[in-house]
Amino acid sequence: MSTRKDPRLEGWDYSKNGAYFLTFCTLHREPTLVSIPYSHTFHAPSVRLTPLGESVEHQLHELERYYPWMHLVHYAIMPNHVHLLVLIEDAGAGASGTPPPTQKLVGAGLPDRPNRANQKIPALISTLKRLTNRACGRQLWQRSYYDHIIRDENDFSRIWTYIDNNPKQWELDRYYREGTP
């Protein structure tokens, strides 16, 4: 039996403030969230959310209410994946505004290394997947996700542009299938 590799950056504290680029895919990479018909008039695609995609978009905006420390800066909902650019700012751990778990540990004289359950990015993704699965009445997502820690303004700008251009490049996506939306 193979051991599953942890996709998180070893040694990185995912409860830290910062900007993150996150991508997660639909189960079996099924193109169920968006249709991207090509517009010959403008020589560019137009993005139309499916009912599942509309539910995902709604839940994305709900997350900002639930997690005041998270700011959704930019996103793209694609047929079989979602890209998020989020800012994490030091604030309470949840809607109650309680201190982050790492602050509680430090105050108690315990190591300041957060455990996996206290990390903000995994909590954010887990909550979003759970809420969208519940709202849609089915499992929508693959188990894991991709994350990239934004390192500087150039990196931020590059990711922003990538998110903007992603719908235009859908036909070049390695998971694109002829005849899918």
Side-chain angles (χ1 to χ4, degrees), residues 29-53:
R29 299 197 196 277
E30 290 296 321
T32 58
L33 304 176
V34 169
S35 68
I36 304 179
Y38 188 79
S39 169
H40 294 288
T41 307
F42 300 107
H43 302 289
S46 59
V47 175
R48 284 194 308 242
L49 294 173
T50 65
L52 291 176

Side-chain angles (χ1 to χ4, degrees), residues 15 69 89-94 97-106 118 120:
S15 66
W69 43 259
E89 295 182 334
D90 199 26
T98 58
T102 53
Q103 288 180 2
K104 288 182 187 176
L105 291 174
V106 172
N118 294 337
K120 292 176 181 178

Side-chain angles (χ1 to χ4, degrees), residues 70-125:
M70 188 277 297
H71 301 284
L72 181 60
V73 178
H74 199 41
Y75 67 93
I77 300 174
M78 297 295 294
N80 62 5
H81 62 281
V82 176
H83 294 302
L84 304 178
L85 182 54
V86 298
L87 292 178
I88 303 300
E89 295 182 334
D90 199 26
S96 66
T98 58
T102 53
Q103 288 180 2
K104 288 182 187 176
L105 291 174
V106 172
L110 299 172
D112 65 351
R113 202 172 100 210
N115 67 40
R116 195 157 183 77
N118 294 337
Q119 297 180 1
K120 292 176 181 178
I121 295 298
L124 173 76
I125 294 293

